[in-house]
Amino acid sequence: MTRERATVLRTAAAARSTGAAQRARSALVELEREGATITFAIVAEQARVSRQFLYSHPGLRADIERQRGHQRAPTRLPVGERAGDESIRVRLRTALDDNKRLREEIAALRDELAVAHGCVRELELARRAPDTR
């Protein structure tokens, strides 16, 4: 590789890195302005960079960690909006019934598969057997 080409490639890589850092800072400012949750994954997604990029840039990493530290912990739902005991029982009973139905379906499918394997085995044995006519 020529020196000129190497210089051009280094310049292009530096420009990409600078652009990515600017996008990450803009995403961080926008998320903060909106009051949105700030995490490395969310900033990376919004800035279209990898999380590794954010972790490997000390300034960006420090900014994100600082902003995460300033966020309020999520509040619990008011009592009136929480699922009641009866609702939870109904959901649990439905899930258990679905689980039972799916286990029965799996058992039936296993039985059908065993029969199909037996038929295949019989056909293979019949094909291998010498013709005794």
Side-chain angles (χ1 to χ4, degrees), residues 113-123:
L113 182 60
V115 170
H117 278 301
C119 291
V120 168
R121 181 72 177 144
E122 286 177 3
L123 290 171

Side-chain angles (χ1 to χ4, degrees), residues 5-133:
R5 182 165 170 80
T7 302
V8 168
L9 290 175
R10 273 194 297 276
T11 304
R16 277 195 313 275
S17 181
T18 301
Q22 288 172 346
R23 287 193 316 272
R25 289 198 189 286
S26 295
L28 187 57
V29 167
E30 182 67 22
L31 289 167
E32 183 182 9
R33 186 182 62 74
E34 293 172 355
T37 301
I38 295 174
T39 65
F40 282 91
I42 291 171
V43 173
E45 181 181 337
Q46 186 157 340
R48 298 179 324 275
V49 299
S50 69
R51 287 181 301 194
Q52 181 59 40
F53 177 84
L54 298 175
Y55 284 116
S56 65
H57 285 75
L60 289 170
R61 183 177 186 161
D63 290 344
I64 293 169
E65 288 173 345
R66 187 179 68 252
Q67 292 302 329
R68 281 193 332 186
H70 288 73
Q71 294 179 15
R72 290 181 295 160
T75 58
R76 293 184 64 184
L77 287 174
V79 174
E81 293 180 24
R82 294 183 202 160
D85 289 346
E86 187 58 30
S87 171
I88 292 171
R89 281 189 196 95
V90 168
R91 289 170 54 194
L92 178 60
R93 174 54 42 211
T94 301
L96 290 171
D97 290 344
D98 286 347
N99 191 323
K100 181 179 178 184
R101 180 184 53 78
L102 291 170
R103 285 179 186 272
E104 290 169 354
E105 185 177 333
I106 288 170
L109 290 170
R110 283 186 176 150
D111 290 343
E112 288 179 33
L113 182 60
V115 170
H117 278 301
C119 291
V120 168
R121 181 72 177 144
E122 286 177 3
L123 290 171
E124 287 175 348
L125 290 174
R127 188 178 42 140
R128 288 183 195 161
D131 193 7
T132 56
R133 286 189 227 167

